Amino acid sequence: MGTQGRKIVGTDVKDLVNLLNKAYSDEWLAYYQYWIGSKVVKGPNKEAVIAELTLHATEELAHATLLTTRIIQLGGTPVTKPQDWYKFTNCGYDAPDDPFIVKVLEQNIKGEQCAIKTYNMFLSILSQEVEHEEDLQALLEDVEIIMKNR
Ligand SMILES: [Fe+2]
Ligand SMILES: [Fe+2]
């Protein structure tokens, strides 16, 4: 098995739950950053920005829902206290204390760039898992052929 494969198989459920809780904390913070940003933002083209920030808030909350479902399926406990989001977060939280539209957009762009980095890592795990399934199904087919021909 290659280095990457060993890394993936070596990821035990506890580590995985921890990664998922980190992403889960990011999603709640992203949700609130978008939501409160949509309320306070000021400047040109405000209406279009409010609509987009509001939509993004809803989508971040949906991401949190997906993650919590998976954490529970794995037998883990999702972060139960908002103050712990700060302990787990990868991407942090940028308060829109300056509500100028350019500033709010810049803060949220920074948040998305961080989220992309986080999920890139998940993607590499996912592609390994897809490969593992393929490998195992191919082996199973071989075993079935051998057994049929006995
Ligand atoms: Fe998200
Ligand atoms: Fe996002």
Side-chain angles (χ1 to χ4, degrees), residues 23 26-27 30 34 56 59-61 63-64 67 112 115 119:
D26 286 336
E27 296 295 354
Y34 274 124
H56 285 200
E59 289 170 346
E60 304 304 359
L61 195 54
H63 299 164
L67 288 161
E112 291 301 341
Y119 288 114

Side-chain angles (χ1 to χ4, degrees), residues 7 12 15 19 46 53-54 63 72 92 97 132 137 144:
K7 214 157 75 189
D12 65 26
D15 291 341
L19 285 178
K46 199 176 97 163
L53 298 183
T54 304
H63 299 164
I72 291 167
D97 289 329
H132 289 169
Q137 285 183 337
E144 282 167 352

